[in-house]
Amino acid sequence: MMNNTYLIREAKAWIKRKQGPDEIIRIVPGTDNGGAVLSYELFTAFDEVPDYLGRILFDTKGYWIYDGETLSVAEQEQVAKFIINYTETL
């Protein structure tokens, strides 16, 4: 069982990029999140037809892996930290 609280509904995150302009991305929890792995689909946030940026998967111990080719390692870490530390404000 996962010890951390993770993102449970769609959210937007600010990604600081080394190359090119910073960007807001949309993070959507995967539909198959009932098992041992949580997955999150990543998209551009405000495009009429959003670009798919890949997905990030978390195992039961909180380890994550990025499945995609668009984000750098630093950007992947930003997304992972956002998901792990996400708290919804009321």
Side-chain angles (χ1 to χ4, degrees), residues 5-75:
T5 303
Y6 289 85
L7 181 69
I8 57 172
R9 58 181 105 162
E10 184 177 315
K12 291 182 178 67
W14 182 268
I15 300 299
K16 183 133 179 80
R17 295 192 178 238
K18 260 188 165 178
Q19 302 293 325
D22 297 342
E23 184 172 16
I24 297 175
I25 65 166
R26 186 168 53 110
I27 303 170
V28 181
T31 57
D32 60 341
N33 283 346
V37 175
L38 293 176
S39 68
Y40 298 90
E41 305 292 327
L42 310 173
F43 302 92
T44 54
F46 299 110
D47 296 334
E48 192 172 313
V49 178
D51 292 335
Y52 180 70
L53 303 174
R55 66 183 175 156
I56 192 163
L57 305 125
F58 289 86
D59 69 10
T60 56
K61 294 183 180 181
Y63 295 106
W64 59 270
I65 188 166
Y66 173 67
D67 181 17
E69 299 176 5
T70 307
L71 301 179
S72 71
V73 173
E75 294 162 353

Side-chain angles (χ1 to χ4, degrees), residues 7-10 85-90:
L7 181 69
I8 57 172
R9 58 181 105 162
E10 184 177 315
N85 297 313
Y86 182 81
T87 37
E88 189 166 324
T89 56
L90 300 175

